[in-house]
Amino acid sequence: MRTGSEPATARSALRARFWLSLWGLVWATFGTAAFALAGRPGWAVACGVLWLLITVDMTMILRHLRQGPHYQPGRDVPPYQPPDPGPPYPGPSRHRRTRPHGRPWPHGRP
């Protein structure tokens, strides 16, 4: 259920991001070394730049993980405030069928 406060209360799967970054780091390191040994400097530089980006991302992920539950809430912290009681959205009345422009059908047509 959406409450409208999702951007302020969004949570990131930091542990999953960490393991995916680690996997990318391994492949970027391997790619950089393999392309450098194969004599492909352009591809080696591209993998090196990717390696640098992954390292920066991993640094930010580890920083957020170490900052604790403020940035990575545990299971006891709800992801958002419970919604207010009432209809989920203001909609048209359901007891009378209307045409697309909102006026009722003439002569009681469906």
Side-chain angles (χ1 to χ4, degrees):
M1 179 177 294
R2 299 179 69 78
T3 63
S5 65
E6 284 82 5
T9 58
R11 295 194 284 179
S12 174
L14 291 176
R15 287 177 187 86
R17 281 182 57 194
F18 170 76
W19 290 110
L20 288 171
S21 291
L22 186 63
W23 181 252
L25 188 68
V26 168
W27 278 105
T29 305
F30 173 75
T32 302
F35 284 123
L37 292 174
R40 303 276 189 171
W43 285 105
V45 168
C47 286
V49 168
L50 187 61
W51 186 2
L52 178 66
L53 288 173
I54 293 169
T55 304
V56 169
D57 186 44
M58 261 183 107
T59 304
M60 294 305 295
I61 292 168
L62 289 172
R63 178 175 173 246
H64 286 167
L65 280 170
R66 287 187 181 136
Q67 285 178 339
H70 178 69
Y71 290 96
Q72 182 68 20
R75 297 178 199 271
D76 58 336
V77 178
Y80 54 83
Q81 296 175 353
D84 295 332
Y89 60 89
S93 158
R94 297 186 188 258
H95 69 276
R96 186 175 78 176
R97 298 181 78 161
T98 57
R99 290 192 272 180
H101 48 75
R103 292 183 293 188
W105 290 93
H107 309 296
R109 296 164 89 189

